[in-house]
Amino acid sequence: MRRIGAACLVLWTATVCAATPGKSSDSPGRSIYTCIDAQGHRLSSDRPIPECLAQEQRMLNRDGSPKGVLPPAQSPEEKARAENAKRQAEQQRLAREAEARRDRALVARYPDLVAHDTARSRAQEPVTKQIEAARRRLAELEVENQALQREREAIPGKVLPQALKARVAANEGSIEAQNTILRDQEAERERLNQQFDAELARLRALWSGAALGRTGTTPTPSSGPARNPSAP
């Protein structure tokens, strides 16, 4: 136990001294440390007092005049909490810096509403084309399906030839495939709109902040479509 206490005292003293660079008069032997221990006894020493590690110790000059206060040593739990708080603060700082970098890149990419609307339209263009193509193909397949249905109804006994069965199966498979493409592309279009809407909300705040910084007055928000007008 004495060895552990001595090690803690050495570490604590080194930490305190390192925290006050250039003040060699705070080193052991040049100050008088005094405290009242847990039993109510007043203790004095020319170095930090091990019995008072958990409490403040008054520091006096050799003539008895006040010199300062030595803070209590941190317990392992307190040290862990302090280190955790430091890590969290560092993580928050890094997160703020990353967000600031993203904001700068966003404003550089989209300096105004026209640039953002143009990018939205370009991103949606291939998706819109695929949606339109799928709808056209579905219309063709529906016509084909109706023709196949008439052929089936015209066959007496309802025993379909294998060739007709194959055409019906191919038609139904194509319809299912085109519906899958249509659903996927409509979901992609919605995802793109949500992405650009979120960007636009952030950009409006950044644009307003930049304008406010330049003019010192509240800017008039830009107006314009939030979504591609051609999108249904």
Side-chain angles (χ1 to χ4, degrees):
M1 185 63 70
R2 288 180 179 274
R3 291 181 179 177
I4 296 175
C8 291
L9 177 60
V10 170
L11 179 60
W12 177 51
T13 303
T15 303
V16 172
C17 291
T20 55
K23 295 184 179 181
S24 59
S25 60
D26 288 345
S27 59
R30 298 191 178 223
S31 301
I32 298 175
Y33 298 83
T34 178
C35 67
I36 298 176
D37 66 11
Q39 288 73 38
H41 302 142
R42 181 176 294 279
L43 306 177
S44 297
S45 176
D46 62 353
R47 64 190 63 245
I49 303 168
E51 291 83 355
C52 295
L53 285 176
Q55 64 191 69
E56 290 183 348
Q57 299 185 41
R58 293 178 59 208
M59 299 170 60
L60 307 176
N61 292 309
R62 286 297 179 177
D63 60 3
S65 59
K67 184 175 184 179
V69 175
L70 193 65
Q74 287 184 322
S75 68
E77 293 80 9
E78 291 171 335
K79 185 176 181 181
R81 286 196 296 270
E83 291 176 349
N84 184 57
K86 183 178 179 181
R87 282 194 300 271
Q88 290 182 350
E90 178 65 10
Q91 291 171 356
Q92 292 171 357
R93 182 186 67 80
L94 293 174
R96 289 193 299 270
E97 291 179 354
E99 183 180 12
R101 287 194 297 271
R102 288 193 298 270
D103 286 346
R104 288 193 296 270
L106 195 62
V107 172
R109 185 177 182 182
Y110 306 119
D112 53 37
L113 185 60
V114 172
H116 192 258
D117 282 346
T118 300
R120 185 197 293 263
S121 297
R122 287 176 179 173
Q124 288 186 337
E125 183 176 356
V127 178
T128 301
K129 287 181 177 180
Q130 291 192 54
I131 290 174
E132 292 172 351
R135 288 174 175 169
R136 287 194 302 268
R137 181 56 181 154
L138 279 170
E140 294 170 356
L141 290 169
E142 181 60 29
V143 172
E144 181 182 322
N145 182 268
Q146 292 175 2
L148 289 170
Q149 183 65 27
R150 288 193 295 270
E151 287 187 44
R152 293 169 66 180
E153 293 173 351
I155 295 175
K158 305 302 181 182
V159 178
L160 302 181
Q162 289 299 322
L164 182 55
K165 287 182 179 180
R167 289 165 59 199
V168 169
N171 177 266
E172 292 174 348
S174 296
I175 290 175
E176 182 179 356
Q178 292 302 315
N179 278 323
T180 299
I181 292 173
L182 185 59
R183 285 194 301 270
D184 289 346
Q185 293 306 308
E186 286 177 341
E188 175 63 9
R189 183 173 61 187
E190 180 61 23
R191 185 194 68 79
L192 285 171
N193 271 323
Q194 290 177 358
Q195 172 188 321
F196 277 91
D197 286 347
E199 285 181 349
L200 183 57
R202 182 59 183 159
L203 281 166
R204 287 189 186 280
L206 296 172
W207 291 332
S208 298
L212 183 61
R214 288 194 301 267
T215 65
T217 59
T218 303
T220 302
S222 300
S223 60
R227 290 174 177 262
N228 185 349
S230 64

